[in-house]
Each structure stands twice: as C-alpha cells, then as structure tokens.
Amino acid sequence: QVQLVESGGGSVQAGGSLKLTCTVTSGYNNYCMGWFRQAPGKEREGVAGIYNDGGSIYYGDSVQGRFIISQDNAKKTLTLQMNNLKPEDTAMYYCAASGLFPCALSTRSHSVAAGDFAYWGQGTQVTVSS
C-alpha cells in the first residue's frame, strides 16, 4: 500500500511561486509518480509526471515551461516547483503514485495519464489571485 502526503499549498499573487512536496510514507517502489489538479467544476488535469526514476518527464501543456517536477529517492519525496503562477492555476493539487504498474498509458501518449496511477494523496489547495 502506497501512502502519500502533500504539503506546500497556499495562496499567492499572480506571477509568484510555490513549491509542493509529496512525501511517500509507505510503499516506496513506484514506477511513476505525478501531480494532478482539479478546479471546481473542471475535470482532473495531469500537471506533471516523472517515470522510471526520471528517465522520462511529461508536463501538461498549460504548465510547460513554468512548472518543474523532481524526485528525491533518498528523501522519498516528489516536488513540484511552480513558477509564474496564474489565476487559472488555482486548484486542488494531488500527488499520485503508480505502485508497481508500468505506467504504459503515459508512456504511449507522452502525457500524464491518470489511469496509470493507483494511489492518491489527500490534496493541497493552491490559490492564485490576480
């Protein structure tokens, strides 16, 4: 069983930065990990994913060039550095992990596919004001 705990959300003005951290508290062997977000009334969106210990990284189109995903296996953490934040980035952000599943959907599509991820954190809120 993989357990994930997110931290680092908050409120920031447009143009600012935030760093989200996901700590893996159990179940450390994950083929891929990622960040998703969901705003009220909108579908869940894949933000960034890291696969095969950093062998591949994918970003959602709306965050490409502004967000950076990274992984520290020694600390068992996944981070999302969010720069140049925009009001449309406002959402609940979720950390996700695949467990031992090979993340084939993401690999085939070169995108962050929610179907690859079996384990999810509780989420952390990010609010960006204009």
Side-chain angles (χ1 to χ4, degrees):
Q1 182 75 14
V2 179
Q3 294 184 328
L4 310 168
V5 179
E6 302 101 334
S7 61
S11 297
V12 66
Q13 289 191 326
S17 298
L18 281 174
K19 181 179 178 179
L20 304 184
T21 299
C22 172
T23 301
V24 183
T25 59
S26 68
Y28 305 118
N29 294 319
N30 295 286
Y31 188 85
C32 60
M33 295 191 68
W35 289 96
F36 291 78
R37 67 186 182 187
Q38 189 165 21
K42 294 189 176 181
E43 293 186 356
R44 182 174 54 190
E45 176 187 6
V47 175
I50 188 165
Y51 302 81
N52 195 19
D53 284 335
S56 298
I57 292 176
Y58 304 128
Y59 292 97
D61 290 341
S62 61
V63 306
Q64 181 77 43
R66 298 188 297 123
F67 290 12
I68 300 171
I69 188 172
S70 61
Q71 187 174 32
D72 187 328
N73 290 330
K75 295 181 180 179
K76 299 178 178 58
T77 57
L78 180 76
T79 61
L80 183 69
Q81 177 66 46
M82 305 185 294
N83 301 318
N84 190 21
L85 283 160
K86 303 175 181 181
E88 51 264 42
D89 294 318
T90 295
M92 186 71 79
Y93 283 71
Y94 298 91
C95 175
S98 66
L100 297 178
F101 298 107
C103 304
L105 295 174
S106 297
T107 301
R108 281 199 295 265
S109 65
H110 293 267
S111 65
V112 191
D116 284 333
F117 297 87
Y119 304 97
W120 297 80
Q122 293 298 309
T124 185
Q125 178 68 37
V126 171
T127 302
V128 184
S129 58
S130 58

